[in-house]
Amino acid sequence: MNIVVCVKYVPDAQADRTFSQDNTTDRTNVDGLLSELDEYAVEEALKLAEAGEGEVTVVTVGPDGAAEAIKKALQMGADKGVHVLDDAIHGSDAPATSLVLAEAVKKAAGGSPELVLMGLASTDGTMSVVPAMLAERLGLPQITQLSSLEIADGKVTGRRDSDAASDTLEAPLPAVVSVTDQINEPRYPSFKGIMAAKKKPVETWSLADLGVDAGQVGLESAWTKVESFTARPPREQGEIVTDEGDGGTKLAEFLAKAKLI
Amino acid sequence: MSAPNPALTKLLATDGLLEEDERDLAAVVRRFGDEKLRPHLAEWFEAGTVPARELAPELGKLGLLGMHLDGYGCAGSTATQYGLACLELEAADSGIRSLMSVQGSLAMTAIHKFGSEEQKQEWLPRMAAGEALGCFGLTEPDFGSDPAGMRTRARRDGDDWVLNGSKMWITNGPVADVAVVWAQTDDPSTSSGRGKIRGFVVPTDTPGFEATEIEHKLSLRASITGSLAFTDLRLPGDAVLPEVAGLRGPLSCLSEARFGILFGAMGAARECLEIALAYAESRKVFDKSLSGYQITQTKLADMAVELMKGTLLAIHLGRRKDAGAITNEQVSVGKLNNCREAIKIARECRTILAANGITLDYPVMRHANNLESVMTYEGTSEVHQLIIGQALTGESAFR
């Protein structure tokens, strides 16, 4: 089975993330990495490929640094990578990203892929909409947010857990599937994986290579944009309530003051 | 939990001396430490144990066990890569790095260097995967720095060998599947009746093998240490390591382990300094940060200087080793300096954390205590001083 995994290079969520002057995510002054939620999609693809015949191709759309995200996936065990790199993509929103991804996935798979795997959400935009948009553009069925996944008899089956119920969903292949962080435990790149990744093929494609018009993507064409932003105020020092026999009363007063009771 | 300190990283600037794959490897091992080790270390240390049998397969999957060896399921890394893995593991805890060192540098290296093809096939792939654990029996209750005096005897009985004696301070001993045991052989043709010291590959389920855990340690508590006793332990003739006779065998394995330690100790030191920097910044004393006081900055600066020197020394020796040019004396320089400075750094960091430093809520005193052992095993600081002294003067002053 040929599996394409779409991954994103995101600013490290542990670092102080901010926006650039044009109100897009600052991707140059903050260290980036493979979105941790995408590691679950990579792991699931590797497990499927290892269980049978198959090849795992990792596709990303992003700036120069996004090659790091591909490298990490290759170190984990993916077979090859595709990096869509074009200055015109800067500032693209989810619809534009899904347009570029759709063309890249088709080209990477040489037509229609058998399975496209994606993470629950990117850890920067956290919109969770790109899998659905990509499925629509590819004309494929979509099952999103799976916590378990099986492939058998030309179908993908899986469980989607919500607060009230767990649904078992099924779709014929090919399909676009997004997975949650409950589905597996992503492997660490092994030493051998790190060394092997250096020899794996990575192709870099421009919008022209994909036949996408630059006017359809980028900040100017975005359907949504960030108007302004404000840094989160620093966390205030906590208040320590000392219990001198009246701890309960003091605690109640504190909660009342905060209008919590 | 530690986090890389950007200012310290920038000051050290050692990343620029490393290849991309070396940095990637270090980052993976650090993350493994953050996710799989650091959350549990205080608990393991307090309990005086470590789930060695569960951790070994995970280290195996990472490719860290016997990683610098070639073939037989081993990863075939460079010495520098191996050193960096030691550094990142020891940043979490010296006990975890000890587990890896004893498995890879001592037990597996002995079999890889001196074993028969059958011994290699039988043990190395499983040990590289972490499915089988090994230990290395050289030190005895009465013979540490003078292993030549060992009392463990291997007597020939027909084709068999019969072992009697004991070993002490054996990391992984009580959980090992296989022990590489060094023993004095008999040779009636010599005037003393003594032959050469030989190595034996001893499955720990052999009758006559007994391992007892050493308790009440105040150091390397997240590591399993034991004593081994051999009572008329009968081995087939092919249990001997065929390719070496004499102390050169075990000592060459020790040199491998020492090399890992000279990197590892700098990991422990870096962890302590990162913690102390974060603590000094957040701790308010007389309404300002502890880090704003000259006396704190003096400490921090001196520690950063020693950390940088030691790390540079480690990388230098890594490159020397990869060039096939390193000498035992140079390994001694690294082991002596980096253990000595690491323990000083850990203790100094403890003073910055003051009372909080004495608890397991922070890793500094755990590291300081661990480093007492690290300074001692694989050659004490004094032994390394004598090795360096001999190299400089041509005179042996060991005895």
Side-chain angles (χ1 to χ4, degrees):
Chain A
M1 164 175 286
N2 289 323
I3 305 169
V4 177
V5 188
C6 302
V7 302
K8 190 173 183 186
Y9 175 72
V10 298
D12 187 349
Q14 311 285 330
D16 287 330
R17 294 177 294 178
T18 184
F19 290 91
S20 307
Q21 280 191 329
D22 63 358
N23 287 2
T24 61
T25 309
D26 182 356
R27 298 183 191 282
T28 45
N29 294 313
V30 183
D31 284 344
L33 41 71
L34 169 64
S35 174
E36 289 181 1
L37 289 170
D38 292 343
E39 289 185 17
Y40 298 89
V42 174
E43 175 66 31
E44 203 58 23
L46 295 176
K47 283 166 69 178
L48 289 170
E50 284 162 0
E53 297 283 306
E55 192 175 57
V56 177
T57 306
V58 183
V59 175
T60 197
V61 178
D64 285 330
E68 282 290 314
I70 293 178
K71 185 178 76 176
K72 175 78 182 282
L74 296 178
Q75 289 175 342
M76 288 173 73
D79 298 288
K80 55 184 186 169
V82 170
H83 183 183
V84 184
L85 176 67
D86 198 309
D87 288 345
I89 296 171
H90 173 76
S92 291
D93 59 359
T97 303
S98 67
L99 174 68
V100 177
L101 273 179
E103 294 309 317
V105 166
K106 278 192 275 188
K107 187 170 158 79
S112 177
E114 289 173 83
L115 179 65
V116 180
L117 279 171
M118 305 176 84
L120 172 64
S122 61
T123 58
D124 54 356
T126 57
M127 292 179 70
S128 288
V129 294
V130 172
M133 290 179 175
L134 178 63
E136 180 65 20
R137 292 193 186 275
L138 291 171
L140 296 180
Q142 51 150 321
I143 312 184
T144 55
Q145 304 187 7
L146 291 190
S147 297
S148 77
L149 187 161
E150 266 180 56
I151 303 280
D153 307 326
K155 286 182 299 193
V156 52
T157 311
R159 193 184 73 244
R160 180 199 282 156
D161 297 322
S162 60
D163 287 346
S166 287
D167 304 323
T168 301
L169 304 169
E170 179 186 290
L173 291 173
V176 175
V177 174
S178 74
V179 302
T180 72
D181 57 354
Q182 302 300 306
I183 196 163
N184 56 43
E185 186 177 355
R187 70 196 64 188
Y188 295 94
S190 70
F191 172 71
K192 283 181 184 170
I194 290 170
M195 299 311 282
K198 298 203 287 189
K199 300 192 187 84
K200 290 179 178 173
V202 178
E203 294 202 44
T204 305
W205 295 338
S206 65
L207 289 176
D209 291 331
L210 297 176
V212 175
D213 176 9
Q216 293 175 277
V217 302
L219 193 55
E220 292 308 312
S221 308
W223 299 6
T224 58
K225 68 174 189 178
V226 176
E227 286 288 338
S228 64
F229 65 90
T230 313
R232 184 176 53 198
R235 193 173 291 181
E236 286 176 26
Q237 191 100 30
E239 184 181 331
I240 296 170
V241 178
T242 310
D243 183 13
E244 291 161 347
D246 56 352
T249 313
K250 281 182 179 168
L251 206 53
E253 282 169 4
F254 174 81
L255 293 171
K257 199 168 71 186
K259 297 196 165 64
L260 290 168
I261 54 171
Chain B
M1 162 122 22
S2 80
N5 182 298
L8 181 62
T9 306
K10 192 174 164 195
L11 181 70
L12 295 178
T14 43
D15 268 8
L17 296 175
L18 302 177
E19 302 292 328
E20 186 178 359
D21 53 66
E22 293 169 337
R23 292 195 298 270
D24 288 348
L25 171 71
V28 167
V29 180
R30 181 164 190 150
R31 184 172 168 193
F32 174 80
D34 281 343
E35 294 175 353
K36 302 286 182 181
L37 303 174
R38 287 182 179 84
H40 309 290
L41 276 165
E43 185 190 325
W44 293 337
F45 191 93
E46 185 143 44
T49 189
V50 71
R53 295 213 71 98
E54 285 84 60
L55 281 179
E58 297 200 50
L59 296 172
K61 274 188 208 145
L62 284 169
L64 303 186
L65 300 177
M67 72 183 286
H68 61 300
L69 303 174
D70 284 315
Y72 307 97
C74 303
S77 78
T78 65
T80 307
Q81 288 164 337
Y82 168 68
L84 291 167
C86 288
L87 188 151
E88 292 299 339
L89 273 191
E90 189 145 2
D93 192 88
S94 303
I96 311 297
R97 199 268 309 135
S98 297
L99 194 167
M100 171 192 173
S101 289
V102 168
Q103 177 88 346
S105 289
L106 294 181
M108 289 175 74
T109 293
I111 296 171
H112 194 271
K113 262 186 167 169
F114 307 124
S116 65
E117 187 57 30
E118 291 72 26
Q119 288 166 338
K120 293 179 196 179
Q121 297 282 0
E122 181 179 2
W123 290 106
L124 293 179
R126 289 166 59 210
M127 293 174 82
E131 290 160 12
L133 273 178
C135 67
F136 185 88
L138 176 65
T139 299
E140 298 192 354
D142 295 323
F143 297 91
S145 297
D146 52 346
M150 68 171 62
R151 293 206 183 103
T152 297
R153 287 282 182 279
R155 179 172 54 81
R156 208 78 216 237
D157 184 28
D159 281 346
D160 292 351
W161 291 94
V162 178
L163 256 60
N164 279 287
S166 63
K167 298 289 175 183
M168 194 143 177
W169 308 117
I170 309 304
T171 300
N172 296 349
V175 288
D177 301 283
V178 62
V180 171
V181 176
W182 301 92
Q184 177 69 55
T185 58
D186 296 328
D187 185 352
S189 69
T190 63
S191 58
S192 64
R194 286 165 53 156
K196 297 257 188 180
I197 286 170
R198 301 296 301 264
F200 296 88
V201 179
V202 184
T204 55
D205 57 3
T206 310
F209 183 97
E210 191 185 0
T212 309
E213 191 162 345
I214 297 174
E215 295 181 345
H216 313 300
K217 289 180 298 174
L218 295 173
S219 176
L220 289 186
R221 288 182 59 76
S223 172
I224 296 171
T225 316
S227 56
L228 311 179
F230 322 113
T231 312
D232 295 329
L233 187 151
R234 184 169 288 273
L235 293 167
D238 61 6
V240 73
L241 290 171
E243 302 300 331
V244 74
L247 265 185
R248 182 179 69 82
L251 293 185
S252 68
C253 299
L254 288 185
S255 195
E256 291 294 314
R258 290 167 182 170
F259 175 79
I261 292 168
L262 70 88
F263 271 87
M266 286 297 103
R270 187 197 68 196
E271 182 96 346
C272 292
L273 187 50
E274 284 175 352
I275 294 285
L277 281 164
Y279 186 90
E281 187 187 341
S282 66
R283 177 76 179 187
K284 300 283 183 288
V285 183
F286 300 115
D287 295 327
K288 75 171 183 180
S289 287
L290 183 55
S291 56
Y293 289 89
Q294 287 188 351
I295 204 160
T296 311
Q297 293 198 2
T298 306
K299 292 177 183 179
L300 294 171
D302 285 350
M303 290 192 286
V305 167
E306 288 308 329
L307 177 66
M308 190 160 173
K309 283 155 71 176
T311 307
L312 290 173
L313 176 57
I315 295 171
H316 168 61
L317 293 178
R319 301 299 183 215
R320 296 281 304 165
K321 190 163 165 64
D322 282 326
I326 201 167
T327 64
N328 288 339
E329 293 79 16
Q330 289 166 343
V331 174
S332 287
V333 169
K335 207 259 178 188
L336 171 65
N337 180 75
N338 289 6
C339 291
R340 196 162 62 182
E341 296 307 326
I343 197 168
K344 277 193 214 159
I345 289 173
R347 288 171 176 161
E348 189 83 314
C349 287
R350 211 287 307 154
T351 69
I352 291 177
L353 272 75
N356 282 313
I358 71 159
T359 71
L360 279 170
D361 292 344
Y362 296 91
V364 292
M365 194 154 156
R366 170 164 59 81
H367 275 302
N369 277 19
N370 283 340
L371 288 163
E372 296 283 355
S373 299
V374 178
M375 276 205 338
T376 305
Y377 65 20
E378 326 304 11
T380 62
S381 289
E382 293 79 1
V383 162
H384 291 297
Q385 287 168 320
L386 292 174
I387 290 171
I388 298 164
Q390 185 177 15
L392 290 172
T393 65
E395 294 191 62
S396 167
F398 291 95
R399 52 199 301 166

